[in-house]
PDB file of all heavy atoms in Angstrom:
ATOM      1  N   LEU T 321     -35.129 -53.409  61.164  1.00  0.00           N
ATOM      2  CA  LEU T 321     -35.685 -53.500  62.512  1.00  0.00           C
ATOM      3  C   LEU T 321     -34.584 -53.337  63.561  1.00  0.00           C
ATOM      4  O   LEU T 321     -34.792 -52.706  64.604  1.00  0.00           O
ATOM      5  CB  LEU T 321     -36.409 -54.836  62.692  1.00  0.00           C
ATOM      6  CG  LEU T 321     -37.704 -55.005  61.884  1.00  0.00           C
ATOM      7  CD1 LEU T 321     -38.230 -56.432  62.005  1.00  0.00           C
ATOM      8  CD2 LEU T 321     -38.756 -54.010  62.328  1.00  0.00           C
ATOM      9  N   ARG T 322     -33.403 -53.910  63.280  1.00  0.00           N
ATOM     10  CA  ARG T 322     -32.285 -53.763  64.219  1.00  0.00           C
ATOM     11  C   ARG T 322     -31.770 -52.325  64.235  1.00  0.00           C
ATOM     12  O   ARG T 322     -31.342 -51.817  65.275  1.00  0.00           O
ATOM     13  CB  ARG T 322     -31.173 -54.732  63.859  1.00  0.00           C
ATOM     14  CG  ARG T 322     -31.557 -56.208  64.054  1.00  0.00           C
ATOM     15  CD  ARG T 322     -30.403 -57.136  63.763  1.00  0.00           C
ATOM     16  NE  ARG T 322     -30.802 -58.527  63.863  1.00  0.00           N
ATOM     17  CZ  ARG T 322     -31.210 -59.263  62.837  1.00  0.00           C
ATOM     18  NH1 ARG T 322     -31.266 -58.742  61.616  1.00  0.00           N
ATOM     19  NH2 ARG T 322     -31.566 -60.528  63.015  1.00  0.00           N
ATOM     20  N   ALA T 323     -31.805 -51.678  63.067  1.00  0.00           N
ATOM     21  CA  ALA T 323     -31.324 -50.294  62.989  1.00  0.00           C
ATOM     22  C   ALA T 323     -32.161 -49.355  63.845  1.00  0.00           C
ATOM     23  O   ALA T 323     -31.644 -48.358  64.382  1.00  0.00           O
ATOM     24  CB  ALA T 323     -31.337 -49.819  61.531  1.00  0.00           C
ATOM     25  N   THR T 324     -33.448 -49.664  64.014  1.00  0.00           N
ATOM     26  CA  THR T 324     -34.303 -48.792  64.825  1.00  0.00           C
ATOM     27  C   THR T 324     -33.833 -48.731  66.280  1.00  0.00           C
ATOM     28  O   THR T 324     -34.050 -47.733  66.966  1.00  0.00           O
ATOM     29  CB  THR T 324     -35.769 -49.270  64.793  1.00  0.00           C
ATOM     30  OG1 THR T 324     -35.858 -50.607  65.310  1.00  0.00           O
ATOM     31  CG2 THR T 324     -36.330 -49.243  63.375  1.00  0.00           C
ATOM     32  N   ASP T 325     -33.186 -49.804  66.729  1.00  0.00           N
ATOM     33  CA  ASP T 325     -32.707 -49.832  68.118  1.00  0.00           C
ATOM     34  C   ASP T 325     -31.557 -48.853  68.348  1.00  0.00           C
ATOM     35  O   ASP T 325     -31.206 -48.564  69.498  1.00  0.00           O
ATOM     36  CB  ASP T 325     -32.235 -51.241  68.493  1.00  0.00           C
ATOM     37  CG  ASP T 325     -33.365 -52.259  68.501  1.00  0.00           C
ATOM     38  OD1 ASP T 325     -34.524 -51.846  68.723  1.00  0.00           O
ATOM     39  OD2 ASP T 325     -33.088 -53.451  68.270  1.00  0.00           O
ATOM     40  N   TYR T 326     -30.971 -48.356  67.274  1.00  0.00           N
ATOM     41  CA  TYR T 326     -29.806 -47.477  67.399  1.00  0.00           C
ATOM     42  C   TYR T 326     -30.096 -46.076  66.863  1.00  0.00           C
ATOM     43  O   TYR T 326     -29.175 -45.311  66.585  1.00  0.00           O
ATOM     44  CB  TYR T 326     -28.608 -48.091  66.672  1.00  0.00           C
ATOM     45  CG  TYR T 326     -28.195 -49.420  67.262  1.00  0.00           C
ATOM     46  CD1 TYR T 326     -28.716 -50.614  66.763  1.00  0.00           C
ATOM     47  CD2 TYR T 326     -27.324 -49.482  68.342  1.00  0.00           C
ATOM     48  CE1 TYR T 326     -28.368 -51.840  67.321  1.00  0.00           C
ATOM     49  CE2 TYR T 326     -26.968 -50.699  68.908  1.00  0.00           C
ATOM     50  CZ  TYR T 326     -27.497 -51.878  68.388  1.00  0.00           C
ATOM     51  OH  TYR T 326     -27.159 -53.074  68.951  1.00  0.00           O
ATOM     52  N   SER T 327     -31.383 -45.732  66.746  1.00  0.00           N
ATOM     53  CA  SER T 327     -31.756 -44.383  66.325  1.00  0.00           C
ATOM     54  C   SER T 327     -31.623 -43.434  67.507  1.00  0.00           C
ATOM     55  O   SER T 327     -31.957 -43.794  68.641  1.00  0.00           O
ATOM     56  CB  SER T 327     -33.202 -44.367  65.813  1.00  0.00           C
ATOM     57  OG  SER T 327     -33.345 -45.201  64.687  1.00  0.00           O
ATOM     58  N   THR T 328     -31.156 -42.241  67.220  1.00  0.00           N
ATOM     59  CA  THR T 328     -30.929 -41.272  68.297  1.00  0.00           C
ATOM     60  C   THR T 328     -31.800 -40.028  68.162  1.00  0.00           C
ATOM     61  O   THR T 328     -31.659 -39.092  68.936  1.00  0.00           O
ATOM     62  CB  THR T 328     -29.447 -40.846  68.320  1.00  0.00           C
ATOM     63  OG1 THR T 328     -29.085 -40.326  67.033  1.00  0.00           O
ATOM     64  CG2 THR T 328     -28.553 -42.029  68.658  1.00  0.00           C
ATOM     65  N   SER T 329     -32.688 -40.016  67.160  1.00  0.00           N
ATOM     66  CA  SER T 329     -33.563 -38.860  66.985  1.00  0.00           C
ATOM     67  C   SER T 329     -34.865 -39.295  66.324  1.00  0.00           C
ATOM     68  O   SER T 329     -34.954 -40.373  65.739  1.00  0.00           O
ATOM     69  CB  SER T 329     -32.888 -37.791  66.112  1.00  0.00           C
ATOM     70  OG  SER T 329     -32.762 -38.252  64.774  1.00  0.00           O
ATOM     71  N   ARG T 330     -35.882 -38.443  66.428  1.00  0.00           N
ATOM     72  CA  ARG T 330     -37.162 -38.722  65.779  1.00  0.00           C
ATOM     73  C   ARG T 330     -36.996 -38.780  64.262  1.00  0.00           C
ATOM     74  O   ARG T 330     -37.644 -39.576  63.586  1.00  0.00           O
ATOM     75  CB  ARG T 330     -38.181 -37.649  66.137  1.00  0.00           C
ATOM     76  CG  ARG T 330     -38.747 -37.778  67.543  1.00  0.00           C
ATOM     77  CD  ARG T 330     -39.778 -36.702  67.811  1.00  0.00           C
ATOM     78  NE  ARG T 330     -40.441 -36.904  69.088  1.00  0.00           N
ATOM     79  CZ  ARG T 330     -41.384 -36.101  69.569  1.00  0.00           C
ATOM     80  NH1 ARG T 330     -41.751 -35.048  68.873  1.00  0.00           N
ATOM     81  NH2 ARG T 330     -41.957 -36.359  70.740  1.00  0.00           N
ATOM     82  N   SER T 331     -36.143 -37.925  63.753  1.00  0.00           N
ATOM     83  CA  SER T 331     -35.927 -37.894  62.306  1.00  0.00           C
ATOM     84  C   SER T 331     -35.367 -39.227  61.815  1.00  0.00           C
ATOM     85  O   SER T 331     -35.832 -39.770  60.800  1.00  0.00           O
ATOM     86  CB  SER T 331     -34.969 -36.755  61.947  1.00  0.00           C
ATOM     87  OG  SER T 331     -34.661 -36.778  60.567  1.00  0.00           O
ATOM     88  N   GLN T 332     -34.370 -39.763  62.522  1.00  0.00           N
ATOM     89  CA  GLN T 332     -33.800 -41.054  62.146  1.00  0.00           C
ATOM     90  C   GLN T 332     -34.841 -42.161  62.241  1.00  0.00           C
ATOM     91  O   GLN T 332     -34.957 -43.002  61.345  1.00  0.00           O
ATOM     92  CB  GLN T 332     -32.603 -41.379  63.035  1.00  0.00           C
ATOM     93  CG  GLN T 332     -31.391 -40.501  62.789  1.00  0.00           C
ATOM     94  CD  GLN T 332     -30.279 -40.763  63.781  1.00  0.00           C
ATOM     95  OE1 GLN T 332     -30.400 -41.604  64.680  1.00  0.00           O
ATOM     96  NE2 GLN T 332     -29.173 -40.041  63.639  1.00  0.00           N
ATOM     97  N   SER T 333     -35.611 -42.150  63.312  1.00  0.00           N
ATOM     98  CA  SER T 333     -36.650 -43.165  63.487  1.00  0.00           C
ATOM     99  C   SER T 333     -37.678 -43.090  62.367  1.00  0.00           C
ATOM    100  O   SER T 333     -38.127 -44.115  61.845  1.00  0.00           O
ATOM    101  CB  SER T 333     -37.348 -42.984  64.839  1.00  0.00           C
ATOM    102  OG  SER T 333     -36.450 -43.196  65.908  1.00  0.00           O
ATOM    103  N   GLY T 334     -38.043 -41.865  62.006  1.00  0.00           N
ATOM    104  CA  GLY T 334     -39.030 -41.687  60.942  1.00  0.00           C
ATOM    105  C   GLY T 334     -38.540 -42.199  59.607  1.00  0.00           C
ATOM    106  O   GLY T 334     -39.270 -42.900  58.884  1.00  0.00           O
ATOM    107  N   GLN T 335     -37.300 -41.886  59.245  1.00  0.00           N
ATOM    108  CA  GLN T 335     -36.757 -42.317  57.957  1.00  0.00           C
ATOM    109  C   GLN T 335     -36.599 -43.839  57.898  1.00  0.00           C
ATOM    110  O   GLN T 335     -36.889 -44.461  56.864  1.00  0.00           O
ATOM    111  CB  GLN T 335     -35.404 -41.639  57.703  1.00  0.00           C
ATOM    112  CG  GLN T 335     -35.503 -40.133  57.482  1.00  0.00           C
ATOM    113  CD  GLN T 335     -36.367 -39.752  56.296  1.00  0.00           C
ATOM    114  OE1 GLN T 335     -36.404 -40.459  55.283  1.00  0.00           O
ATOM    115  NE2 GLN T 335     -37.082 -38.647  56.403  1.00  0.00           N
ATOM    116  N   ILE T 336     -36.161 -44.442  58.987  1.00  0.00           N
ATOM    117  CA  ILE T 336     -36.031 -45.906  59.008  1.00  0.00           C
ATOM    118  C   ILE T 336     -37.405 -46.558  58.929  1.00  0.00           C
ATOM    119  O   ILE T 336     -37.592 -47.560  58.232  1.00  0.00           O
ATOM    120  CB  ILE T 336     -35.269 -46.367  60.266  1.00  0.00           C
ATOM    121  CG1 ILE T 336     -33.820 -45.862  60.229  1.00  0.00           C
ATOM    122  CG2 ILE T 336     -35.274 -47.895  60.360  1.00  0.00           C
ATOM    123  CD1 ILE T 336     -33.046 -46.116  61.512  1.00  0.00           C
ATOM    124  N   SER T 337     -38.375 -45.981  59.620  1.00  0.00           N
ATOM    125  CA  SER T 337     -39.730 -46.526  59.573  1.00  0.00           C
ATOM    126  C   SER T 337     -40.306 -46.460  58.163  1.00  0.00           C
ATOM    127  O   SER T 337     -41.038 -47.364  57.745  1.00  0.00           O
ATOM    128  CB  SER T 337     -40.633 -45.778  60.554  1.00  0.00           C
ATOM    129  OG  SER T 337     -40.247 -46.037  61.890  1.00  0.00           O
ATOM    130  N   LEU T 338     -39.978 -45.414  57.415  1.00  0.00           N
ATOM    131  CA  LEU T 338     -40.435 -45.335  56.024  1.00  0.00           C
ATOM    132  C   LEU T 338     -39.838 -46.468  55.194  1.00  0.00           C
ATOM    133  O   LEU T 338     -40.524 -47.060  54.350  1.00  0.00           O
ATOM    134  CB  LEU T 338     -40.057 -43.989  55.410  1.00  0.00           C
ATOM    135  CG  LEU T 338     -40.881 -42.773  55.818  1.00  0.00           C
ATOM    136  CD1 LEU T 338     -40.452 -41.554  55.007  1.00  0.00           C
ATOM    137  CD2 LEU T 338     -42.374 -43.030  55.642  1.00  0.00           C
ATOM    138  N   LEU T 339     -38.565 -46.765  55.424  1.00  0.00           N
ATOM    139  CA  LEU T 339     -37.939 -47.883  54.723  1.00  0.00           C
ATOM    140  C   LEU T 339     -38.610 -49.204  55.101  1.00  0.00           C
ATOM    141  O   LEU T 339     -38.838 -50.071  54.248  1.00  0.00           O
ATOM    142  CB  LEU T 339     -36.444 -47.937  55.039  1.00  0.00           C
ATOM    143  CG  LEU T 339     -35.577 -46.847  54.411  1.00  0.00           C
ATOM    144  CD1 LEU T 339     -34.156 -46.914  54.972  1.00  0.00           C
ATOM    145  CD2 LEU T 339     -35.544 -46.991  52.892  1.00  0.00           C
ATOM    146  N   ILE T 340     -38.936 -49.344  56.384  1.00  0.00           N
ATOM    147  CA  ILE T 340     -39.635 -50.552  56.839  1.00  0.00           C
ATOM    148  C   ILE T 340     -40.995 -50.664  56.148  1.00  0.00           C
ATOM    149  O   ILE T 340     -41.378 -51.735  55.668  1.00  0.00           O
ATOM    150  CB  ILE T 340     -39.800 -50.534  58.373  1.00  0.00           C
ATOM    151  CG1 ILE T 340     -38.440 -50.725  59.049  1.00  0.00           C
ATOM    152  CG2 ILE T 340     -40.774 -51.618  58.839  1.00  0.00           C
ATOM    153  CD1 ILE T 340     -38.449 -50.533  60.557  1.00  0.00           C
ATOM    154  N   LEU T 341     -41.722 -49.555  56.076  1.00  0.00           N
ATOM    155  CA  LEU T 341     -43.022 -49.557  55.403  1.00  0.00           C
ATOM    156  C   LEU T 341     -42.877 -49.910  53.926  1.00  0.00           C
ATOM    157  O   LEU T 341     -43.670 -50.684  53.376  1.00  0.00           O
ATOM    158  CB  LEU T 341     -43.684 -48.187  55.545  1.00  0.00           C
ATOM    159  CG  LEU T 341     -44.230 -47.842  56.936  1.00  0.00           C
ATOM    160  CD1 LEU T 341     -44.677 -46.390  56.985  1.00  0.00           C
ATOM    161  CD2 LEU T 341     -45.387 -48.761  57.300  1.00  0.00           C
ATOM    162  N   GLU T 342     -41.852 -49.359  53.288  1.00  0.00           N
ATOM    163  CA  GLU T 342     -41.625 -49.632  51.870  1.00  0.00           C
ATOM    164  C   GLU T 342     -41.364 -51.117  51.627  1.00  0.00           C
ATOM    165  O   GLU T 342     -41.925 -51.721  50.707  1.00  0.00           O
ATOM    166  CB  GLU T 342     -40.445 -48.788  51.382  1.00  0.00           C
ATOM    167  CG  GLU T 342     -40.256 -48.775  49.885  1.00  0.00           C
ATOM    168  CD  GLU T 342     -39.239 -47.737  49.437  1.00  0.00           C
ATOM    169  OE1 GLU T 342     -39.211 -46.637  50.026  1.00  0.00           O
ATOM    170  OE2 GLU T 342     -38.481 -48.028  48.497  1.00  0.00           O
ATOM    171  N   VAL T 343     -40.542 -51.722  52.474  1.00  0.00           N
ATOM    172  CA  VAL T 343     -40.227 -53.142  52.332  1.00  0.00           C
ATOM    173  C   VAL T 343     -41.456 -54.000  52.628  1.00  0.00           C
ATOM    174  O   VAL T 343     -41.750 -54.962  51.912  1.00  0.00           O
ATOM    175  CB  VAL T 343     -39.048 -53.525  53.246  1.00  0.00           C
ATOM    176  CG1 VAL T 343     -38.867 -55.041  53.295  1.00  0.00           C
ATOM    177  CG2 VAL T 343     -37.757 -52.861  52.767  1.00  0.00           C
ATOM    178  N   CYS T 344     -42.174 -53.659  53.694  1.00  0.00           N
ATOM    179  CA  CYS T 344     -43.365 -54.442  54.057  1.00  0.00           C
ATOM    180  C   CYS T 344     -44.443 -54.357  52.985  1.00  0.00           C
ATOM    181  O   CYS T 344     -45.122 -55.346  52.694  1.00  0.00           O
ATOM    182  CB  CYS T 344     -43.917 -53.971  55.397  1.00  0.00           C
ATOM    183  SG  CYS T 344     -42.897 -54.425  56.814  1.00  0.00           S
ATOM    184  N   LEU T 345     -44.613 -53.183  52.384  1.00  0.00           N
ATOM    185  CA  LEU T 345     -45.575 -53.041  51.290  1.00  0.00           C
ATOM    186  C   LEU T 345     -45.155 -53.884  50.092  1.00  0.00           C
ATOM    187  O   LEU T 345     -45.993 -54.520  49.443  1.00  0.00           O
ATOM    188  CB  LEU T 345     -45.716 -51.570  50.891  1.00  0.00           C
ATOM    189  CG  LEU T 345     -46.518 -50.695  51.856  1.00  0.00           C
ATOM    190  CD1 LEU T 345     -46.313 -49.218  51.539  1.00  0.00           C
ATOM    191  CD2 LEU T 345     -47.996 -51.043  51.803  1.00  0.00           C
ATOM    192  N   ALA T 346     -43.855 -53.898  49.793  1.00  0.00           N
ATOM    193  CA  ALA T 346     -43.364 -54.704  48.672  1.00  0.00           C
ATOM    194  C   ALA T 346     -43.619 -56.182  48.903  1.00  0.00           C
ATOM    195  O   ALA T 346     -43.900 -56.935  47.969  1.00  0.00           O
ATOM    196  CB  ALA T 346     -41.868 -54.452  48.456  1.00  0.00           C
ATOM    197  N   MET T 347     -43.532 -56.620  50.174  1.00  0.00           N
ATOM    198  CA  MET T 347     -43.772 -58.026  50.502  1.00  0.00           C
ATOM    199  C   MET T 347     -45.232 -58.305  50.846  1.00  0.00           C
ATOM    200  O   MET T 347     -45.594 -59.432  51.159  1.00  0.00           O
ATOM    201  CB  MET T 347     -42.876 -58.447  51.679  1.00  0.00           C
ATOM    202  CG  MET T 347     -41.402 -58.460  51.355  1.00  0.00           C
ATOM    203  SD  MET T 347     -40.430 -59.287  52.652  1.00  0.00           S
ATOM    204  CE  MET T 347     -40.651 -58.142  54.024  1.00  0.00           C
ATOM    205  N   GLU T 348     -46.053 -57.248  50.820  1.00  0.00           N
ATOM    206  CA  GLU T 348     -47.483 -57.361  51.128  1.00  0.00           C
ATOM    207  C   GLU T 348     -47.713 -57.869  52.553  1.00  0.00           C
ATOM    208  O   GLU T 348     -48.658 -58.613  52.822  1.00  0.00           O
ATOM    209  CB  GLU T 348     -48.199 -58.243  50.097  1.00  0.00           C
ATOM    210  CG  GLU T 348     -48.083 -57.702  48.686  1.00  0.00           C
ATOM    211  CD  GLU T 348     -48.777 -58.563  47.649  1.00  0.00           C
ATOM    212  OE1 GLU T 348     -49.528 -59.482  48.028  1.00  0.00           O
ATOM    213  OE2 GLU T 348     -48.570 -58.310  46.444  1.00  0.00           O
ATOM    214  N   GLN T 349     -46.864 -57.427  53.467  1.00  0.00           N
ATOM    215  CA  GLN T 349     -47.021 -57.761  54.885  1.00  0.00           C
ATOM    216  C   GLN T 349     -47.800 -56.629  55.560  1.00  0.00           C
ATOM    217  O   GLN T 349     -47.258 -55.767  56.239  1.00  0.00           O
ATOM    218  CB  GLN T 349     -45.650 -57.953  55.542  1.00  0.00           C
ATOM    219  CG  GLN T 349     -44.881 -59.158  55.046  1.00  0.00           C
ATOM    220  CD  GLN T 349     -43.573 -59.371  55.794  1.00  0.00           C
ATOM    221  OE1 GLN T 349     -43.194 -58.583  56.664  1.00  0.00           O
ATOM    222  NE2 GLN T 349     -42.873 -60.432  55.450  1.00  0.00           N
ATOM    223  N   TYR T 350     -49.106 -56.656  55.357  1.00  0.00           N
ATOM    224  CA  TYR T 350     -49.925 -55.521  55.758  1.00  0.00           C
ATOM    225  C   TYR T 350     -50.105 -55.397  57.263  1.00  0.00           C
ATOM    226  O   TYR T 350     -50.366 -54.296  57.766  1.00  0.00           O
ATOM    227  CB  TYR T 350     -51.274 -55.575  55.036  1.00  0.00           C
ATOM    228  CG  TYR T 350     -51.110 -55.406  53.543  1.00  0.00           C
ATOM    229  CD1 TYR T 350     -51.310 -56.463  52.668  1.00  0.00           C
ATOM    230  CD2 TYR T 350     -50.706 -54.176  53.014  1.00  0.00           C
ATOM    231  CE1 TYR T 350     -51.132 -56.304  51.299  1.00  0.00           C
ATOM    232  CE2 TYR T 350     -50.515 -54.008  51.652  1.00  0.00           C
ATOM    233  CZ  TYR T 350     -50.729 -55.083  50.799  1.00  0.00           C
ATOM    234  OH  TYR T 350     -50.543 -54.919  49.456  1.00  0.00           O
ATOM    235  N   ALA T 351     -49.978 -56.492  58.007  1.00  0.00           N
ATOM    236  CA  ALA T 351     -50.047 -56.395  59.465  1.00  0.00           C
ATOM    237  C   ALA T 351     -48.877 -55.554  59.982  1.00  0.00           C
ATOM    238  O   ALA T 351     -49.042 -54.704  60.873  1.00  0.00           O
ATOM    239  CB  ALA T 351     -50.021 -57.783  60.095  1.00  0.00           C
TER     240      ALA T 351
END
Side-chain angles (χ1 to χ4, degrees):
L321 291 173
R322 293 183 184 94
T324 60
D325 295 333
Y326 298 92
S327 298
T328 56
S329 69
R330 284 182 173 180
S331 175
Q332 290 174 359
S333 296
Q335 292 300 326
I336 295 172
S337 293
L338 284 186
L339 288 172
I340 290 172
L341 287 172
E342 191 170 322
V343 170
C344 288
L345 285 167
M347 293 192 293
E348 300 180 11
Q349 293 184 357
Y350 295 109

